Amino acid sequence: MGHGARTDRVGERIRTELSALLLRRVREPAVQGVTITHVDVTRDLQTARVYYRVLAETASRRDVARALRRAQGFLRHELGGRLRLRRVPDLRFLHDDTVEQQDRLARLFDEIREPGTDPAESERDA
């Protein structure tokens, strides 16, 4: 969660730079299908939680996490040359599972809803 306009701007800048770096500079095959969805930066700009999704199923989630950890130092170094910050935040990569959570909730709601119990249908019939 952002803590203000500056942290939001820094998070968005980190997101765009990391996306470009992963696409053009990181040669690790496991990160080829990775998309950075958003970045949350702490108020003191010391830590950036980088949320990512794996679009291509060419590598397992575990392999992608390992590859991002291996590339972490390189990415942080590259960010240092691209961002105008006194200190480049530590990068923490976290898998973004919001889509899976939304699918799970939709399935649960579908299971709860029984045929013929939709309130909208009963109002139309009346």
Side-chain angles (χ1 to χ4, degrees):
M1 176 184 304
H3 299 286
R6 181 162 190 237
T7 57
D8 292 343
R9 283 192 314 267
V10 170
E12 182 58 23
R13 182 74 193 278
I14 290 172
R15 188 191 69 75
T16 57
E17 294 296 339
L18 282 177
S19 295
L21 287 168
L22 288 175
L23 185 64
R24 296 184 186 105
R25 300 288 310 272
V26 177
R27 300 290 177 227
E28 182 75 36
V31 300
Q32 295 306 310
V34 170
T35 299
I36 306 298
T37 57
H38 65 279
V39 176
D40 286 335
V41 181
T42 57
R43 186 173 292 147
D44 61 2
L45 302 177
Q46 299 295 306
T47 304
R49 287 184 299 279
V50 181
Y51 293 90
Y52 66 92
R53 300 243 338 119
V54 181
L55 297 180
E57 295 300 323
T58 57
S60 73
R61 190 184 295 183
R62 183 178 295 153
D63 292 339
V64 171
R66 282 188 199 131
L68 288 171
R69 274 195 304 274
R70 282 193 303 269
Q72 186 174 9
F74 169 76
L75 292 170
R76 193 162 178 258
H77 175 75
E78 290 293 314
L79 282 175
R82 296 169 182 236
L83 302 177
R84 292 183 184 172
L85 295 174
R86 192 172 296 156
R87 183 179 183 280
V88 179
D90 292 324
L91 303 175
R92 305 281 161 82
F93 290 98
L94 303 163
H95 184 265
D96 185 358
D97 58 358
T98 54
V99 173
E100 287 91 0
Q101 289 175 355
Q102 289 172 351
D103 288 344
R104 185 177 150 269
L105 286 174
R107 282 193 310 274
L108 287 172
F109 284 127
D110 288 342
E111 289 174 11
I112 292 170
R113 186 181 308 138
E114 293 179 32
T117 60
D118 188 5
E121 285 180 15
S122 60
E123 286 179 15
R124 280 185 294 206
D125 292 340

